[in-house]
Amino acid sequence: MSTLQKTLIAACIAGAFVPAAHAEKYFSDSSISILYSDDYQAFGKTKTTQTFFTFENATGHDWGSTFFFVDRNQGHGKDKDTDDLYGEFAPNLSLSWLTGSKLGGDGLIKDFTLSGQYEFGGGTNVNNYMVGPGIDWNIPGFQYVATRFYYVDNSETSDDYQTTVVWGMPMEFGKTRILFDGYIDWSTAEDDHKSDFHFNPQLKLDLGNYRGSPGVLYAGIEYSYWNNKYGLNDDVMDTESAVSALVKFHF
């Protein structure tokens, strides 16, 4: 990793720990979710049953935002040895805040960001570092839409580039509240791995809203379409197409 890349990543991480006296926090949200499916793609082009327990935390500040999650993959039966922990930490620095100039606003573009991400854990003890520019968008009907363009310093494979899109779209039909959110990751191919594309949306019903506690308890489904899962070059992995049952609790 070059000195410039390390500097940019350090700047993103440092922004995540700006003293409270110098920053305004807009929100902080934590959640625990459980995912279950018997459609996950395993090695050898076979299906596997897995349960994921995930902790997530998202924050918004005047200087930017952070997102952190860690999940535990609980295998079942012959797949129980697939148990592992995996996590990501993604800080985003607002360039409007950093430069003191309003770079976005009420138009299509809300702001520009300097974004980083650290991926860790997994069955191969991954330690990947990502850095690059991003755009936060103002899209009617969406709570948020953001795109990130990363250079990725991979610990297990050759370095590559990744484009990420995240979104959240709330919908209301009387007392029925639905949240459609998720992400898309696309990584480039290099000498030792293929390009991979991962589309991962969730469709969730706000159960808490029926009891006067909106945004607390959700139930729904997650869909994972992952072409060239993990980007392996040896054709061991096929395309994953898995529907999971989902329960999510915010606190």
Side-chain angles (χ1 to χ4, degrees):
M1 185 186 301
S2 70
T3 300
L4 175 60
Q5 292 157 13
K6 290 180 179 178
T7 301
L8 291 174
I9 291 172
C12 287
I13 295 175
F17 298 99
V18 175
H22 302 287
E24 180 182 356
K25 179 183 285 188
Y26 298 142
F27 70 87
S28 179
D29 177 72
S30 296
S31 65
I32 296 175
S33 60
I34 301 174
L35 277 167
Y36 172 86
S37 178
D38 55 10
D39 284 336
Y40 292 114
Q41 192 68 38
F43 289 92
K45 300 184 179 181
T46 60
K47 298 293 185 179
T48 182
T49 299
Q50 296 173 358
T51 301
F52 287 88
F53 299 89
T54 303
F55 169 80
E56 294 176 294
N57 176 262
T59 66
H61 309 259
D62 56 351
W63 52 262
S65 63
T66 66
F67 176 71
F68 169 78
F69 83 84
V70 60
D71 62 31
R72 181 176 187 273
N73 173 4
Q74 174 67 58
H76 295 267
K78 65 179 181 180
D79 301 313
K80 63 183 179 181
D81 292 334
T82 61
D83 292 6
D84 59 52
L85 291 172
Y86 174 79
E88 296 179 3
F89 173 62
N92 302 285
L93 282 180
S94 162
L95 292 186
S96 292
W97 175 85
L98 197 62
T99 62
S101 301
K102 190 173 182 180
L103 302 179
D106 298 328
L108 184 62
I109 295 177
K110 181 178 181 181
D111 199 1
F112 295 92
T113 66
L114 173 61
S115 298
Q117 186 164 298
Y118 171 53
E119 302 175 337
F120 59 93
T124 56
N125 294 316
V126 165
N127 282 282
N128 298 336
Y129 298 87
M130 309 164 66
V131 67
I135 304 174
D136 292 337
W137 302 89
N138 284 316
I139 307 295
F142 286 81
Q143 187 176 15
Y144 61 87
V145 178
T147 51
R148 311 291 184 227
F149 309 96
Y150 296 114
Y151 171 83
V152 187
D153 185 281
N154 291 307
S155 63
E156 305 299 316
T157 61
S158 295
D159 297 350
D160 56 17
Y161 297 89
Q162 178 175 305
T163 298
T164 295
V165 181
V166 296
W167 75 89
M169 183 174 69
M171 296 173 279
E172 292 193 29
F173 309 94
K175 287 189 175 182
T176 299
R177 289 166 48 113
I178 295 172
L179 180 61
F180 176 57
D181 59 1
Y183 67 88
I184 297 172
D185 284 338
W186 176 77
S187 296
T188 60
E190 301 298 333
D191 290 342
D192 62 347
H193 63 276
K194 297 179 180 180
S195 170
D196 69 274
F197 174 84
H198 193 190
F199 174 55
N200 197 229
Q202 294 183 348
L203 188 64
K204 302 183 288 279
L205 176 64
D206 187 347
L207 298 177
N209 190 56
Y210 296 112
R211 301 297 299 271
S213 300
V216 175
L217 180 62
Y218 290 86
I221 59 172
E222 177 183 277
Y223 176 62
S224 174
Y225 175 83
W226 198 341
N227 185 43
N228 290 334
K229 188 173 181 179
Y230 304 132
L232 297 179
N233 248 0
D234 53 12
D235 293 324
V236 172
M237 298 300 293
D238 201 354
T239 297
E240 177 175 270
S241 180
V243 177
S244 305
L246 166 68
V247 176
K248 192 168 190 175
F249 174 71
H250 290 259
F251 57 94

